[in-house]
Amino acid sequence: MKFAYLSAEDAQRLSADLRSVESGLIRSLSFDTAPILEAHQMYSRRTACLSGYVFGHPSLGDGREVMTSQLMYMDTEAGIARTVNRWYRLGHPAGTGKA
């Protein structure tokens, strides 16, 4: 199974916009054609992530049960997944009886 939250092109465009904002170049972005969102509110909603037992994480202890940040890409045949924060190598899926 393959899953991609964003295309590489969309991710690159998002990254460029965020870099502009972080650099104080917000005026260089074009908002003239951006839609207006009236009566806006911020909500939290469910998003794809992974859970499991992590090994070799740079700041979490081995064997710790974790829930990852938002899942951005996963290829189970290649055994890899990319979350917002980092790449993961995929071990055995839950329910296979393998540790």
Side-chain angles (χ1 to χ4, degrees):
M1 172 181 81
K2 286 188 181 180
F3 166 84
Y5 188 81
L6 288 173
S7 69
E9 183 179 316
D10 288 343
Q12 198 168 31
R13 205 167 42 250
L14 173 60
S15 178
D17 286 349
L18 293 175
R19 287 179 193 277
S20 292
V21 169
E22 289 175 353
S23 299
L25 301 174
I26 196 165
R27 294 186 199 282
S28 69
L29 300 173
S30 175
F31 297 107
D32 296 339
T33 59
I36 297 171
L37 186 61
E38 293 286 357
H40 61 84
Q41 300 178 55
M42 186 168 21
Y43 280 92
S44 179
R45 64 179 178 182
R46 293 182 184 184
T47 187
C49 64
L50 296 171
S51 69
Y53 297 92
V54 70
F55 296 87
H57 191 282
S59 59
L60 302 175
D62 282 351
R64 181 172 172 181
E65 188 172 11
V66 300
M67 186 171 294
T68 68
S69 57
Q70 182 175 354
L71 182 63
M72 303 304 285
Y73 177 84
M74 181 170 68
D75 184 340
T76 55
E77 288 182 24
I80 56 172
R82 179 63 161 96
T83 67
V84 168
N85 294 330
R86 70 186 72 259
W87 282 100
Y88 286 91
R89 294 173 290 159
L90 300 175
H92 299 290
T96 61
K98 298 178 181 178

